[in-house]
Amino acid sequence: MLRCQFMRKRALAAILCGTIPALGWGPEGHSLIARIAEAQLTPAVHAKVVEILGPNVTMASVASWPDEIRRSRPETGEWHYIDIPIDKPHLDMARDCPKGDCVIKKIEDFEVVLHDPNTPAVQRREALLFLIHFVGDMHQPLHDSDNKDKGGNDVRVIYNGRNTNLHSLWDSGLLGHMGKEDELFPGYSAESERHAKKWAKGSVEDWAVQAHKSAVKVTYGKLPKTDKGAAVAITAEYEAKADPLIRLQIEKAGARLARVLNEALR
Ligand code: ADE
Ligand code: ZN
Ligand code: ZN
């Protein structure tokens, strides 16, 4: 039997289990964000996280769990993103999250569940895992933006000679070329800590609007123009704009995830 949700290799899972569109950051991005956040938890909150996760389970090791269970729990599929149209400057929860099953509402819901001392242990653990993942996901600009293209999933692009799509490029393609996780972590973590006080301000909705504006300006705005229907060839100029934004979003996500957990488990 194929145990798709346990497959660590995304590419293999995609071939054997059918392609799963619109995952969040790839495992590397989620792991980086979790490591950055874990380093910014207060000692008391860190101790609670260790207690909830169990011995020898790091936040990074569970950060992609919601992607692994998506197929077996299809109701969670929409929880990973919010489609704010790129021709709209603001988030409108009634328009963009009418059923309450988008990433913003789920983060707010799971904050309450994690904070509630009466939450049973199994639900508390799930709430923690979903928060670790979703605060990461919502910092991928295409998880807050839509151009009637499923957050870029329908936009074909060619990157380093390979066919992919705009969404996947931003989830993992670009980051995969920015360096190995262990090389990126020290600089990203230090930068995140340096700006944490400023970046962790605001609401989850403010953070979504920021990510959405970045998508309008950079992710879609700087995309080379092509004939309608043709695949977009990603240029070095585009990468030079995209890579620093990806880095910034990961650094912000780490600081904000730490704030969310420091508050929910205080
Ligand atoms: N599916 C539809 N819209 C999406 C988005 N913005 N991000 C990820 N998956 C999606
Ligand atoms: Zn994604
Ligand atoms: Zn996700």
Side-chain angles (χ1 to χ4, degrees), residues 149-161:
D149 58 1
K150 302 194 187 74
N153 274 292
D154 293 342
V155 180
R156 290 186 299 124
V157 307
I158 300 166
Y159 180 54
N160 287 320

Side-chain angles (χ1 to χ4, degrees), residues 22-25 30 66-67 70 80 133-134 137 143:
L23 295 159
W25 299 108
H30 280 295
D67 284 335
R70 256 176 109 154
H80 296 246
H133 184 86
F134 290 155
D137 269 355
H143 277 242

Side-chain angles (χ1 to χ4, degrees), residues 3-253:
R3 292 155 74 231
C4 303
Q5 68 266 46
F6 301 120
M7 279 184 195
R8 290 193 52 81
K9 291 259 179 290
R10 170 81 40 80
L12 184 64
I15 293 162
L16 296 177
C17 311
T19 304
I20 308 161
L23 295 159
W25 299 108
E28 184 185 11
H30 280 295
S31 178
L32 269 171
I33 291 164
R35 288 171 70 181
I36 293 168
E38 194 158 14
Q40 293 181 38
L41 297 180
T42 67
V45 168
H46 191 252
K48 286 187 190 168
V49 166
V50 169
E51 191 188 314
I52 294 169
L53 293 181
N56 305 319
V57 182
T58 60
M59 282 170 47
S61 73
V62 293
S64 290
W65 172 80
D67 284 335
E68 290 155 17
I69 58 126
R70 256 176 109 154
R71 285 194 154 250
S72 59
R73 292 175 61 177
E75 76 283 4
T76 68
E78 292 178 20
W79 300 1
H80 296 246
Y81 59 89
I82 181 165
D83 279 342
I84 308 173
I86 63 160
D87 59 355
K88 299 285 189 295
H90 289 293
L91 166 65
D92 176 343
M93 288 297 275
R95 177 193 64 205
D96 305 327
C97 190
K99 291 184 274 142
D101 56 0
C102 65
V103 70
I104 304 308
K105 183 66 167 54
K106 285 293 152 187
I107 290 172
E108 292 167 354
D109 290 350
F110 285 124
E111 283 177 326
V112 174
V113 174
L114 188 62
H115 185 64
D116 183 350
N118 296 316
T119 300
V122 174
Q123 276 101 301
R124 161 164 298 124
R125 189 168 196 278
E126 275 209 355
L128 175 60
L129 302 195
F130 278 125
L131 280 173
I132 292 169
H133 184 86
F134 290 155
V135 174
D137 269 355
M138 69 159 296
H139 282 80
Q140 205 282 52
L142 288 171
H143 277 242
D144 309 87
S145 309
D146 184 59
N147 188 26
K148 301 195 182 84
D149 58 1
K150 302 194 187 74
N153 274 292
D154 293 342
V155 180
R156 290 186 299 124
V157 307
I158 300 166
Y159 180 54
N160 287 320
R162 293 184 51 191
N163 289 301
T164 179
N165 68 67
L166 185 64
H167 190 98
S168 175
L169 184 77
W170 279 77
D171 269 353
S172 55
L174 291 164
L175 182 60
H177 281 85
M178 288 164 63
K180 291 203 183 354
E181 183 186 326
D182 287 343
E183 293 161 6
L184 300 180
F185 173 71
Y188 284 29
S189 184
E191 192 69 2
S192 177
E193 281 183 30
R194 196 169 303 137
H195 299 281
K197 218 167 157 222
K198 179 177 57 172
W199 286 343
K201 290 201 174 102
S203 67
V204 178
E205 294 180 20
D206 295 333
W207 305 339
V209 171
Q210 263 187 27
H212 176 256
K213 285 191 190 331
S214 307
V216 173
K217 191 167 160 217
V218 179
T219 313
Y220 287 108
K222 298 281 187 270
L223 202 60
K225 301 286 172 271
T226 40
D227 294 339
K228 209 169 159 39
V232 183
I234 297 303
T235 59
E237 290 74 25
Y238 186 77
E239 252 188 295
K241 300 276 189 234
D243 290 0
L245 174 58
I246 287 173
R247 174 176 178 158
L248 182 66
Q249 289 299 105
I250 287 173
E251 292 167 349
K252 284 182 173 176

